[in-house]
Amino acid sequence: MADRVRPYDYSRRVGEEDITWERFAALVRHLALQVEADDPQIILGIARGGLFPATMLSLVLRRELYPVRLTRRLNDTVVRQQPTWLVRPPDKVRGRRVLIVDEIADSGRTIAMAAEEVRRMGASHVRTAVLYAHTWAEPRPDFVALTSDALILNPWDREVLVNGQFVTHPELAAALRMQRTLSA
């Protein structure tokens, strides 16, 4: 099944954007300053990568955090053409001001689907936020810390554990090879 599903297209990326843990913290603080005036009551973090900024935002803004899972992946491999719900939003969103957080808006589809679902569930106000968005993301999230068309190198997914050894994440290694081939 996985070989029939199109993986993420990294050919549109231009260069590399190195994100350290310190830069991550600064970007989330920047996002928090944007989001604060919107006064969310509940934060939904899209697992997995979106839980990093969502957790920090929930702590900084002192709001409740609920994880949701909407993804094309299973066991870190792209297996679906479209994002699918694995963990839906809680009923607590009804009548509340909700902020949905993910780490990146590539196509923008995942965060848009999450917002559609939360609106359907009766949230009174729904906004979306991401650490990073590509210029082609449509729809664009309401709040963005960094707009970049580069290949984003997050500190949490650079390496994976394989047979007792930490190695560069295979998807990242392939994307980096593609970037270097395209720029050569």
Side-chain angles (χ1 to χ4, degrees):
M1 180 178 181
D3 54 339
R4 286 186 262 143
V5 175
R6 215 180 62 212
Y8 290 96
D9 178 10
Y10 291 104
S11 65
R12 295 177 73 180
R13 309 311 193 280
V14 179
E16 300 165 14
E17 190 79 45
D18 187 25
I19 307 297
T20 63
W21 284 111
E22 293 78 17
R23 187 160 181 215
F24 161 76
L27 288 168
V28 174
R29 289 170 59 94
H30 177 68
L31 204 53
L33 289 170
Q34 294 178 55
V35 166
E36 181 185 30
D38 206 52
D39 194 28
Q41 295 171 297
I42 292 176
I43 295 175
L44 299 182
I46 299 178
R48 296 184 316 186
L51 290 180
F52 287 95
T55 298
M56 188 169 168
L57 278 172
S58 76
L59 293 167
V60 169
L61 297 172
R62 298 179 299 167
R63 299 296 188 270
E64 288 299 311
L65 169 67
Y66 297 92
V68 297
R69 183 96 161 111
L70 178 63
T71 185
R72 293 179 50 203
R73 295 177 182 270
L74 180 64
N75 295 324
D76 205 33
T77 301
V78 176
V79 296
R80 296 177 196 86
Q81 291 292 1
Q82 296 298 319
T84 300
W85 282 105
L86 301 178
V87 178
R88 291 187 171 276
D91 290 334
K92 292 176 183 348
V93 300
R94 184 175 317 286
R96 300 290 188 90
R97 299 174 62 79
V98 178
L99 177 68
I100 302 167
V101 181
D102 206 351
E103 87 275 19
I104 189 165
D106 181 30
S107 69
R109 186 66 193 137
T110 300
I111 205 159
M113 284 177 66
E116 288 169 17
E117 178 67 7
V118 171
R119 284 185 190 99
R120 187 195 65 73
M121 294 175 70
S124 65
H125 183 78
V126 179
R127 291 289 183 258
T128 57
V130 295
L131 279 181
Y132 331 109
H134 293 305
T135 57
W136 58 79
E138 185 60 39
R140 186 165 176 80
D142 298 301
F143 305 103
V144 176
L146 174 69
T147 299
S148 174
D149 288 338
L151 175 65
I152 304 292
L153 306 174
N154 282 313
W156 57 83
D157 62 7
R158 290 181 190 198
E159 294 183 321
V160 294
L161 189 61
V162 177
N163 298 323
Q165 299 290 317
F166 284 98
V167 298
T168 300
H169 191 294
E171 186 176 341
L172 178 59
L176 288 167
R177 281 192 301 276
M178 181 181 295
Q179 287 295 306
R180 292 174 183 139
T181 300
L182 292 173
S183 66

